[in-house]
Amino acid sequence: MARPLMFAIFALFLSVCSAWGETAPDAEMARALVGADTAQVLVQRQEAPLPLWQVLDAGDRRVMGHIASTWEVLKSTGYSGKPLDILVAVDGAGAITGARLIEHAEPILTLGISDQDIADYVDGFAGLRMGAQGLEGDAPDIISRATVSTGVIRDSILHTARLLAHSDRGGIDRVSFEPANWASLTQMGAFATQSVSLRDARAALPDANPPIPDKDGIFLETWISVLDPATIGQNLLGAQGFRRAIAALPADHDALLIASRGLHSHRGTAWRRSGVFDRVMLEQDGRQFTPLSSGYQRLNQFEPDDAPEVKEASLFAIPRDQIDLAEPFTVTISATRGDAVFPISVPFELDAAFVTPAAAMPVPPPAWQAAWQQKQGPLIGLAVMLGTLFTILFFQDAFVKRPRLWLWTRMGFLSVTFVWLGLVLGAQLSVVQVVAFVHSLLNGFKWEVFLIEPLIFVLWGFTALGLLFWGRGVFCGWLCPFGALQELSNQAARRLGIKQIAVPHAVHERLWIIKYTLFLAILGLSFYSMKDALILAEAEPFKTAISLRFVRSWPFLLFVGAILFVGLFVERAYCRYLCPLGAALAIPAKLKIFDWLRRRPQCGRECRLCEQQCTVGAIDPLGRINPNECILCLRCQMIFHEPHTCTVLKRRNRAA
């Protein structure tokens, strides 16, 4: 039974892969994309140096433009972690003549944004020009409430257009690939080498302490290269290792390889403290640059069988505005003994086989950079808010000893969370983002995809940190706008005298199953159909109440109204039993390394007051606090420290 199932899964995988490869434009689509003014065009496939389609006039065979697929060229994936395929057409002048959305699996339908809205956004890139100084013209504005998806689409289109516009122009050739072993690469001029013997080093550093041995041997033998050309990088690191190494580079950096063996290390150990590889210096046209640890990757042994065994191999990220690795430069590795310095210089020039003739065009700035600049004010406000919450939780003992301060601070914080963080900024986390993160890990994680939403990124970062320190309650109890709305409305109901319903603990425990089942169903369904998973994710009322601010059709409003109505009688009923996001956060919260909530041996045996006062039922009849259900409201901690409320403290006071 297992074997047929495996074959079926494999067949499904092959069919999905083949489906993503079927993006070839027909003549009519190609004619529309390049804006041809002729009745008939010819479409010819070209594999090198870039996989693309050349569109020619059927009459005089004049080239009218080029078309490329973002998925085929970049392996572009969207926020959902699924492939994102857009055909981009560029004419001979470097102008985008058209773009066509072919396939996507972005979570936009849940936000009231249609496929046509995304298609119109893609069409809006027509007319932009990839000039020598960068992008000429204004790209269409990113769609509100779909900033991540449309930001990824923007970057994919502009990156592909840049490659199309300059596929026959200068810079490092990052596309062409030719299988080669170490000897072949050496013959092609991929390396600059230098070897210094122990005796040479002893002569240069006569006063070294300890002295350099006076014998045959290698002091330093080094190989210098640039890994960006696929023929070099992919042959040395293997296809998977090459993709992983290049993907980890910042967008405006290139990869310098330094490999060495011998007594001397080109890395040393000081960089672990300083973050600077002070033994390495790059020089070019009077400019100098020392590699930093932030762009460093340690490499393993090289793939070719005939590669020499090296002691160390390093990849350094070199910013293009400092050193252009396509032009000649010199790497100097210093050996220092006391006050004496022995510089070992290795000139390097990338062979013409790996460089195209002219200078490459600047890379358009990624969408996430503009997003962070535009959100500076809200980010500062969010930082203040998170700093306040951290202070409350870190010094919670002093905080909960003042009941009035606790009450007003909590109600005020929740009001800010609901009104400012939720309704004004729309910074509501969702289970959709968890699903997208899982798919991104499986399909090739890209930081820039998640950086496009600065507020969401910061919130997730703080929530992840909070999971380790305090558990899921950091977000669910303080930073969830919809959770804040439920608690505020329930507090208002209590003040109006609405009687609360106490859910029996046995029923309470069994109802927890719903949210965990719902989360696993959404996650599992996403592997079959992201669209169906997003429909099921409508079990979250966040989009209706927070993202769309209650501006939605009546069935969604009725659903939110029902949740809030039940919440008037059972505080945070949705959080307790239905929230798939809460379930998703509770699972990694098992890794919590601190236990901040204080208990006494008498809790649950001699006294059950905290259990009765816990508004979300996170304390069981034995007095144990379930971190998967606790929202860190700190009500039990206030009772714990209150001498006139806690029965244990009252008994001690009477005894005293």
Side-chain angles (χ1 to χ4, degrees):
M1 182 68 183
R3 184 171 293 181
L5 179 60
M6 290 176 63
F7 280 123
I9 294 172
F10 184 65
L12 178 62
F13 174 76
L14 289 180
S15 65
V16 170
C17 291
S18 61
W20 280 106
E22 297 169 359
T23 58
D26 56 25
E28 188 57 36
M29 183 189 293
R31 180 177 175 276
L33 283 172
V34 300
D37 54 2
T38 58
Q40 292 185 331
V41 297
L42 296 176
V43 181
Q44 293 184 349
R45 178 66 174 177
Q46 175 182 312
E47 296 295 341
L50 195 70
L52 54 81
W53 293 274
Q54 197 174 48
V55 183
L56 304 97
D57 188 317
D60 58 13
R61 299 300 178 105
R62 173 173 51 93
V63 177
M64 308 191 71
H66 297 88
I67 301 173
S69 158
T70 61
W71 167 247
E72 194 174 30
V73 171
L74 304 175
K75 290 295 180 282
S76 53
T77 54
Y79 181 60
S80 64
K82 299 287 188 179
L84 175 70
D85 196 9
I86 301 168
L87 289 179
V88 181
V90 173
D91 64 16
I96 301 175
T97 56
R100 181 76 58 88
L101 179 66
I102 301 299
E103 191 67 49
H104 79 93
E106 294 302 272
I108 57 170
L109 298 178
T110 58
L111 297 174
I113 299 170
S114 68
D115 284 331
Q116 188 58 48
D117 293 329
I118 298 296
D120 292 342
Y121 174 75
V122 170
D123 292 340
F125 284 85
L128 299 182
R129 183 173 180 273
M130 314 307 290
Q133 301 303 316
L135 182 66
E136 297 178 3
D138 295 325
D141 293 333
I142 287 174
I143 299 176
S144 177
R145 304 193 311 277
T147 53
V148 175
S149 296
T150 50
V152 172
I153 289 172
R154 170 194 179 275
D155 287 351
S156 298
I157 291 175
L158 294 183
H159 193 174
T160 302
R162 172 180 175 267
L163 290 174
L164 274 176
H166 294 265
S167 59
D168 57 348
R169 302 187 188 184
I172 297 174
D173 182 0
R174 295 174 172 83
V175 179
S176 303
F177 174 73
E178 177 183 338
N181 58 15
W182 187 276
S184 300
L185 288 173
T186 302
Q187 220 171 24
M188 296 165 68
F191 306 108
T193 63
Q194 180 72 277
S195 182
V196 177
S197 68
L198 289 172
R199 288 194 171 92
D200 290 339
R202 182 181 177 87
L205 299 168
D207 299 324
N209 186 19
I212 298 172
D214 185 12
K215 62 179 182 179
D216 293 333
I218 299 173
F219 180 74
L220 179 69
E221 184 175 8
T222 185
W223 292 264
I224 308 295
S225 188
V226 176
L227 290 176
D228 293 81
T231 299
I232 299 177
Q234 187 168 326
N235 280 310
L236 290 182
L237 306 181
Q240 185 176 0
F242 174 63
R243 286 195 296 268
R244 185 167 55 245
I246 296 301
L249 285 175
D252 55 350
H253 288 55
D254 293 321
L256 172 71
L257 167 69
I258 300 181
S260 67
R261 62 185 177 186
L263 179 67
H264 186 65
S265 166
H266 70 261
R267 290 195 295 242
T269 58
W271 65 273
R272 299 181 185 276
R273 299 183 298 274
S274 65
V276 178
F277 289 89
D278 56 357
R279 295 189 179 188
V280 179
M281 175 71 74
L282 278 73
E283 297 180 75
Q284 184 181 67
D285 299 332
R287 301 188 304 274
Q288 294 182 335
F289 178 77
T290 300
L292 307 176
S293 60
S294 57
Y296 160 71
Q297 298 177 51
R298 179 176 179 173
L299 302 178
N300 298 320
Q301 189 64 30
F302 300 117
E303 289 285 315
D305 294 334
D306 61 338
E309 288 192 11
V310 299
K311 180 182 176 182
E312 298 174 331
S314 307
L315 183 156
F316 298 111
I318 308 300
R320 294 176 195 146
D321 60 353
Q322 298 287 329
I323 303 291
D324 183 2
L325 298 188
E327 299 293 329
F329 61 92
T330 299
V331 175
T332 300
I333 300 174
S334 299
T336 304
R337 299 292 187 275
D339 295 330
V341 179
F342 177 29
I344 304 168
S345 296
V346 187
F348 181 83
E349 181 175 359
L350 196 59
D351 192 88
F354 307 112
V355 181
T356 47
M361 170 197 164
V363 179
W368 67 265
Q369 290 184 359
W372 283 75
Q373 291 173 354
Q374 293 169 1
K375 293 292 181 74
Q376 287 183 1
L379 283 170
I380 293 173
L382 180 59
V384 172
M385 190 175 177
L386 298 181
T388 302
L389 177 57
F390 181 85
T391 303
I392 291 172
L393 297 178
F394 195 80
F395 299 102
Q396 63 183 41
D397 285 349
F399 177 64
V400 296
K401 288 178 182 178
R402 298 166 175 80
R404 289 181 63 84
L405 175 64
W406 167 84
L407 177 63
W408 287 107
T409 301
R410 179 158 177 81
M411 291 302 102
F413 197 99
L414 292 178
S415 299
V416 173
T417 296
F418 170 58
V419 177
W420 183 73
L421 193 61
L423 297 182
V424 176
L425 299 181
Q428 170 73 64
L429 303 189
S430 166
V431 71
V432 174
Q433 294 152 359
V434 177
V435 172
F437 180 75
V438 171
H439 281 276
S440 180
L441 289 178
L442 296 175
N443 294 296
F445 185 81
K446 296 180 180 178
W447 280 107
E448 57 268 24
V449 172
F450 297 92
L451 286 168
I452 293 176
E453 273 282 16
L455 297 174
I456 298 296
F457 182 85
V458 172
L459 269 177
W460 269 117
F462 189 85
T463 299
L465 189 65
L467 288 176
L468 291 177
F469 287 173
W470 291 283
R472 58 165 280 209
V474 172
F475 172 76
C476 296
W478 294 86
L479 296 172
C480 177
F482 190 77
L485 171 59
Q486 289 181 91
E487 185 165 335
L488 291 171
S489 59
N490 181 268
Q491 289 298 315
R494 288 171 183 264
R495 288 184 174 274
L496 293 174
I498 295 179
K499 187 177 180 181
Q500 299 297 294
I501 299 175
V503 182
H505 188 74
V507 177
H508 180 59
E509 280 188 322
R510 285 159 177 78
L511 290 176
W512 291 342
I513 298 173
I514 300 175
K515 63 185 176 188
Y516 291 100
T517 304
L518 185 57
F519 166 65
L520 292 176
I522 294 171
L523 180 62
L525 188 58
S526 70
F527 289 98
Y528 170 74
S529 168
M530 182 62 75
K531 181 178 180 180
D532 293 341
L534 295 177
I535 293 174
L536 183 58
E538 284 290 354
E540 283 187 333
F542 307 157
K543 306 169 193 67
T544 301
I546 306 300
S547 300
L548 299 177
R549 303 179 184 88
F550 296 96
V551 181
R552 214 173 182 190
S553 57
W554 69 267
F556 297 101
L557 295 177
L558 182 63
F559 176 57
V560 174
I563 289 173
L564 294 176
F565 179 75
V566 173
L568 298 178
F569 303 92
V570 181
E571 183 170 332
R572 287 181 177 254
Y574 176 80
C575 299
R576 294 202 218 180
Y577 310 124
L578 292 177
C579 182
L581 176 60
L585 294 177
I587 295 172
K590 291 287 187 181
L591 301 174
K592 183 168 68 77
I593 55 180
F594 297 108
D595 192 1
W596 299 79
L597 302 180
R598 301 174 64 181
R599 309 297 284 154
R600 294 189 177 91
Q602 297 88 342
C603 295
R605 293 188 299 175
E606 301 177 17
C607 175
R608 297 178 60 184
L609 182 59
C610 289
E611 176 203 346
Q612 298 164 3
Q613 294 296 319
C614 180
T615 57
V616 294
I619 304 178
D620 66 17
L622 298 178
R624 297 171 301 193
I625 299 175
N626 186 341
N628 291 348
E629 304 302 320
C630 176
I631 61 169
L632 278 180
C633 67
L634 303 180
R635 187 176 276 105
C636 63
Q637 298 304 289
M638 186 176 64
I639 297 172
F640 181 93
H641 290 285
E642 175 52 53
H644 303 296
T645 304
C646 176
T647 56
V648 177
L649 294 182
K650 287 196 295 186
R651 188 184 307 123
R652 289 177 182 175
N653 290 337
R654 286 197 300 268

